Coordinates of all heavy atoms in Angstrom, one line a residue:
L39 N -82.1 -42.4 -104.9 CA -82.5 -41.3 -104.1 C -83.6 -40.5 -104.9 O -83.3 -40.0 -105.9 CB -81.4 -40.5 -103.7 CG -81.9 -39.2 -102.9 CD1 -82.4 -39.7 -101.5 CD2 -80.7 -38.2 -102.7
V40 N -84.8 -40.4 -104.5 CA -85.8 -39.7 -105.1 C -86.5 -38.8 -104.2 O -86.5 -39.0 -103.0 CB -87.0 -40.6 -105.7 CG1 -86.4 -41.5 -106.8 CG2 -87.6 -41.5 -104.6
T41 N -86.9 -37.7 -104.8 CA -87.5 -36.6 -103.9 C -88.8 -37.2 -103.4 O -89.6 -37.8 -104.2 CB -87.7 -35.3 -104.7 OG1 -86.5 -34.8 -105.0 CG2 -88.6 -34.4 -104.0
P42 N -89.2 -37.0 -102.1 CA -90.5 -37.5 -101.8 C -91.7 -36.9 -102.4 O -91.7 -35.7 -102.8 CB -90.5 -37.1 -100.2 CG -89.5 -35.8 -100.2 CD -88.5 -36.1 -101.2
V48 N -88.2 -36.5 -96.8 CA -87.0 -37.1 -97.4 C -86.6 -38.3 -96.7 O -86.2 -39.3 -97.3 CB -85.8 -36.1 -97.5 CG1 -84.6 -36.7 -97.8 CG2 -86.1 -34.9 -98.3
E49 N -86.6 -38.3 -95.3 CA -86.2 -39.4 -94.5 C -87.1 -40.7 -94.9 O -86.6 -41.7 -94.9 CB -86.4 -39.0 -93.0 CG -85.4 -38.0 -92.6 CD -85.7 -36.6 -92.9 OE1 -86.8 -36.4 -93.4 OE2 -84.9 -35.7 -92.7
F52 N -86.3 -42.0 -98.2 CA -85.0 -42.6 -98.3 C -85.1 -44.0 -97.8 O -84.5 -44.9 -98.5 CB -84.0 -41.8 -97.4 CG -82.7 -42.5 -97.3 CD1 -81.8 -42.4 -98.4 CD2 -82.3 -43.0 -96.1 CE1 -80.6 -43.1 -98.3 CE2 -81.0 -43.6 -96.0 CZ -80.2 -43.6 -97.0
V203 N -76.5 -44.9 -97.7 CA -76.6 -43.4 -97.8 C -77.1 -42.9 -99.1 O -77.0 -43.6 -100.1 CB -75.3 -42.8 -97.3 CG1 -74.9 -43.2 -95.9 CG2 -74.2 -43.2 -98.3
P204 N -77.6 -41.6 -99.1 CA -78.1 -41.2 -100.4 C -76.8 -41.1 -101.4 O -75.7 -40.9 -101.1 CB -78.5 -39.6 -100.0 CG -78.8 -39.7 -98.6 CD -77.8 -40.7 -98.0
H205 N -77.3 -41.3 -102.7 CA -76.2 -41.3 -103.9 C -75.5 -40.0 -103.8 O -76.2 -38.9 -103.8 CB -77.0 -41.6 -105.1 CG -76.1 -41.6 -106.4 ND1 -75.0 -42.5 -106.4 CD2 -76.0 -40.9 -107.4 CE1 -74.5 -42.4 -107.5 NE2 -75.0 -41.4 -108.2
Q206 N -74.2 -40.0 -104.0 CA -73.3 -38.9 -104.1 C -73.1 -38.3 -102.7 O -72.7 -37.1 -102.7 CB -73.8 -37.8 -105.1 CG -73.7 -38.3 -106.5 CD -73.8 -37.2 -107.5 OE1 -74.7 -36.3 -107.3 NE2 -73.0 -37.3 -108.6
S207 N -73.2 -39.1 -101.8 CA -72.7 -38.6 -100.3 C -71.2 -38.3 -100.4 O -70.4 -39.2 -101.0 CB -73.0 -39.5 -99.2 OG -74.4 -39.6 -99.1
W208 N -70.7 -37.3 -100.0 CA -69.3 -37.0 -100.1 C -68.4 -36.8 -98.8 O -67.5 -37.4 -98.6 CB -69.0 -35.7 -101.1 CG -67.7 -35.6 -101.6 CD1 -67.1 -36.1 -102.7 CD2 -66.6 -34.9 -101.2 NE1 -65.9 -35.8 -103.0 CE2 -65.5 -35.0 -101.9 CE3 -66.4 -34.2 -99.9 CZ2 -64.2 -34.4 -101.6 CZ3 -65.1 -33.6 -99.6 CH2 -64.1 -33.8 -100.5
G209 N -68.9 -35.8 -98.1 CA -68.2 -35.5 -96.9 C -68.8 -36.1 -95.6 O -70.0 -36.4 -95.6
A220 N -72.8 -36.0 -89.9 CA -73.6 -35.3 -91.0 C -72.8 -35.6 -92.3 O -71.7 -35.7 -92.3 CB -73.5 -33.9 -90.7
L221 N -73.6 -35.9 -93.4 CA -73.0 -36.2 -94.6 C -73.5 -35.2 -95.8 O -74.7 -34.9 -95.8 CB -73.6 -37.6 -95.1 CG -73.2 -38.8 -94.1 CD1 -73.9 -40.0 -94.8 CD2 -71.8 -38.9 -94.0
S222 N -72.6 -34.6 -96.4 CA -72.9 -33.8 -97.5 C -73.4 -34.7 -98.8 O -72.7 -35.7 -99.0 CB -71.8 -32.9 -98.0 OG -70.7 -33.7 -98.4
V223 N -74.4 -34.2 -99.5 CA -74.9 -34.9 -100.7 C -74.8 -34.0 -101.9 O -75.6 -33.1 -101.9 CB -76.2 -35.6 -100.3 CG1 -76.5 -36.6 -101.5 CG2 -76.3 -36.3 -99.0
Q224 N -74.1 -34.4 -102.9 CA -73.9 -33.4 -104.0 C -75.1 -33.0 -104.8 O -75.5 -31.9 -104.7 CB -72.8 -34.1 -105.0 CG -71.4 -34.1 -104.4 CD -70.5 -34.7 -105.4 OE1 -70.0 -35.9 -105.2 NE2 -70.1 -34.1 -106.4
T225 N -75.6 -33.8 -105.6 CA -76.5 -33.4 -106.6 C -77.9 -32.9 -106.0 O -78.5 -31.9 -106.5 CB -76.9 -34.5 -107.7 OG1 -75.7 -34.9 -108.4 CG2 -77.9 -34.1 -108.6
P226 N -78.4 -33.6 -105.0 CA -79.6 -33.0 -104.3 C -79.3 -31.7 -103.5 O -80.3 -31.2 -103.0 CB -80.0 -34.1 -103.4 CG -79.4 -35.4 -103.9 CD -78.0 -34.9 -104.4
N227 N -78.1 -31.2 -103.5 CA -77.8 -30.0 -102.8 C -78.3 -30.0 -101.3 O -79.1 -29.1 -101.0 CB -78.3 -28.8 -103.5 CG -78.0 -28.8 -105.0 OD1 -76.9 -28.9 -105.3 ND2 -79.1 -28.6 -105.8
M228 N -77.8 -31.0 -100.6 CA -78.3 -31.2 -99.2 C -77.2 -31.8 -98.2 O -76.2 -32.2 -98.8 CB -79.5 -32.0 -99.2 CG -79.3 -33.4 -99.4 SD -80.9 -34.4 -99.2 CE -80.3 -36.1 -99.5
F229 N -77.5 -31.7 -97.0 CA -76.8 -32.6 -96.0 C -77.8 -33.3 -95.1 O -78.9 -32.8 -94.8 CB -75.7 -31.8 -95.2 CG -76.2 -30.9 -94.2 CD1 -76.6 -31.3 -93.0 CD2 -76.3 -29.4 -94.5 CE1 -76.9 -30.4 -91.9 CE2 -76.7 -28.5 -93.6 CZ -77.0 -29.1 -92.3
V230 N -77.4 -34.5 -94.7 CA -78.3 -35.3 -93.8 C -77.5 -35.7 -92.6 O -76.3 -35.7 -92.5 CB -78.8 -36.6 -94.6 CG1 -79.6 -36.3 -95.7 CG2 -77.5 -37.4 -95.0
V231 N -78.3 -35.9 -91.5 CA -77.7 -36.1 -90.2 C -78.2 -37.5 -89.8 O -79.4 -37.8 -89.7 CB -78.0 -35.1 -89.2 CG1 -77.4 -35.4 -87.8 CG2 -77.5 -33.7 -89.7
F232 N -77.3 -38.5 -89.4 CA -77.6 -39.8 -89.0 C -77.2 -39.9 -87.6 O -76.2 -39.2 -87.1 CB -76.9 -40.9 -89.8 CG -77.5 -41.1 -91.1 CD1 -77.0 -40.4 -92.2 CD2 -78.5 -42.0 -91.3 CE1 -77.5 -40.6 -93.6 CE2 -79.0 -42.1 -92.6 CZ -78.6 -41.5 -93.7
P242 N -82.2 -41.1 -91.8 CA -81.6 -39.8 -91.2 C -82.4 -39.3 -90.1 O -83.6 -39.4 -90.2 CB -81.4 -38.9 -92.4 CG -81.5 -39.7 -93.7 CD -82.5 -40.9 -93.3
R244 N -82.5 -36.1 -89.6 CA -83.0 -34.8 -90.3 C -82.2 -34.6 -91.5 O -81.2 -35.1 -91.8 CB -83.0 -33.6 -89.4 CG -81.6 -33.3 -88.8 CD -81.8 -32.3 -87.7 NE -80.5 -32.3 -86.9 CZ -79.5 -31.3 -87.2 NH1 -79.7 -30.5 -88.2 NH2 -78.4 -31.4 -86.5
S245 N -82.7 -33.7 -92.4 CA -82.0 -33.2 -93.5 C -82.3 -31.8 -93.8 O -83.2 -31.2 -93.3 CB -82.4 -34.1 -94.8 OG -83.8 -33.8 -95.1
V246 N -81.2 -31.1 -94.4 CA -81.3 -29.7 -94.8 C -81.3 -29.7 -96.3 O -80.2 -30.0 -96.8 CB -80.2 -28.9 -94.2 CG1 -80.2 -27.5 -94.5 CG2 -80.3 -29.1 -92.6
R247 N -82.3 -29.1 -96.9 CA -82.4 -29.1 -98.4 C -83.4 -28.2 -98.8 O -84.5 -28.0 -98.2 CB -82.7 -30.5 -98.9 CG -82.8 -30.6 -100.4 CD -83.3 -32.1 -100.7 NE -83.2 -32.1 -102.2 CZ -83.7 -33.2 -102.9 NH1 -84.2 -34.2 -102.2 NH2 -83.6 -33.2 -104.2
G248 N -83.2 -27.6 -100.0 CA -84.1 -26.6 -100.7 C -83.5 -25.4 -101.1 O -82.3 -25.1 -100.8
T251 N -81.5 -22.9 -98.8 CA -80.3 -23.2 -98.2 C -79.1 -22.7 -98.9 O -78.0 -22.5 -98.4 CB -80.1 -24.8 -98.2 OG1 -80.0 -25.3 -99.5 CG2 -81.3 -25.4 -97.5
Q252 N -79.3 -22.4 -100.2 CA -78.2 -21.8 -101.1 C -77.1 -22.8 -101.3 O -76.0 -22.4 -101.9 CB -77.6 -20.5 -100.6 CG -78.8 -19.3 -100.5 CD -78.1 -18.1 -100.0 OE1 -77.1 -17.5 -100.6 NE2 -78.7 -17.5 -99.0
M253 N -77.2 -24.1 -101.0 CA -76.3 -25.1 -101.3 C -76.3 -25.5 -102.7 O -77.4 -25.5 -103.4 CB -76.5 -26.3 -100.3 CG -76.0 -26.2 -99.0 SD -76.1 -27.7 -98.0 CE -77.9 -27.9 -97.8
A254 N -75.1 -25.7 -103.3 CA -75.0 -26.1 -104.7 C -73.8 -27.0 -104.8 O -72.6 -26.6 -104.8 CB -74.9 -24.9 -105.7
D255 N -74.1 -28.3 -105.0 CA -73.1 -29.3 -105.2 C -72.1 -29.2 -104.0 O -70.9 -29.0 -104.1 CB -72.3 -29.1 -106.5 CG -71.4 -30.3 -106.8 OD1 -71.5 -31.4 -106.2 OD2 -70.6 -30.2 -107.8
P256 N -72.7 -29.6 -102.8 CA -71.8 -29.5 -101.5 C -70.8 -30.6 -101.4 O -71.1 -31.8 -101.9 CB -72.9 -29.6 -100.5 CG -74.0 -30.3 -101.0 CD -74.1 -29.9 -102.5
H257 N -69.6 -30.4 -100.9 CA -68.6 -31.3 -100.8 C -68.2 -31.4 -99.3 O -68.6 -32.2 -98.5 CB -67.4 -31.0 -101.8 CG -67.7 -31.5 -103.1 ND1 -68.6 -31.0 -104.0 CD2 -67.1 -32.5 -103.8 CE1 -68.6 -31.5 -105.1 NE2 -67.7 -32.6 -105.0
I259 N -67.8 -30.8 -95.4 CA -68.7 -30.4 -94.5 C -68.0 -30.6 -93.1 O -67.2 -31.4 -92.8 CB -70.0 -31.3 -94.5 CG1 -71.0 -30.8 -93.4 CG2 -69.6 -32.8 -94.3 CD1 -72.4 -31.5 -93.6
V270 N -70.6 -25.8 -94.8 CA -70.6 -26.7 -96.0 C -69.9 -26.0 -97.1 O -70.2 -24.7 -97.3 CB -72.0 -26.9 -96.3 CG1 -72.1 -27.8 -97.6 CG2 -72.8 -27.6 -95.3
N272 N -69.4 -25.5 -101.1 CA -70.2 -25.7 -102.3 C -69.4 -25.4 -103.6 O -68.8 -24.3 -103.7 CB -71.5 -24.8 -102.3 CG -72.3 -25.1 -101.1 OD1 -73.1 -26.0 -101.0 ND2 -72.2 -24.2 -100.1
I282 N -83.1 -33.4 -111.3 CA -82.4 -34.4 -110.6 C -82.8 -35.8 -111.0 O -83.9 -36.2 -110.9 CB -82.5 -34.2 -109.1 CG1 -81.9 -32.8 -108.6 CG2 -81.7 -35.3 -108.4 CD1 -82.1 -32.5 -107.2
E296 N -87.2 -37.6 -109.8 CA -87.3 -36.8 -108.6 C -87.9 -35.5 -108.6 O -87.4 -34.6 -109.2 CB -85.8 -36.6 -108.1 CG -85.7 -35.9 -106.8 CD -84.4 -36.2 -106.2 OE1 -83.7 -36.9 -106.6 OE2 -84.1 -35.4 -105.1
F318 N -74.7 -23.0 -91.4 CA -76.0 -23.3 -90.8 C -76.1 -23.4 -89.3 O -75.0 -23.8 -88.7 CB -76.6 -24.5 -91.5 CG -76.8 -24.4 -93.0 CD1 -75.7 -24.9 -93.8 CD2 -78.0 -24.0 -93.5 CE1 -76.0 -24.8 -95.2 CE2 -78.2 -23.9 -94.9 CZ -77.0 -24.3 -95.7
G324 N -84.7 -29.0 -92.8 CA -85.6 -28.6 -93.9 C -85.0 -27.5 -94.8 O -83.8 -27.5 -94.9

Side-chain angles (χ1 to χ4, degrees):
L39 174 66
V40 294
T41 294
V48 170
E49 293 80 4
F52 174 71
V203 296
H205 182 57
Q206 289 192 324
S207 294
W208 195 90
L221 305 178
S222 60
V223 190
Q224 290 179 249
T225 301
N227 309 314
M228 72 176 184
F229 71 84
V230 291
V231 179
F232 288 92
R244 56 193 167 92
S245 62
V246 176
R247 179 185 185 187
T251 69
Q252 301 183 52
M253 284 187 284
D255 196 6
H257 280 71
I259 184 169
V270 179
N272 303 279
I282 295 175
E296 183 161 348
F318 297 90

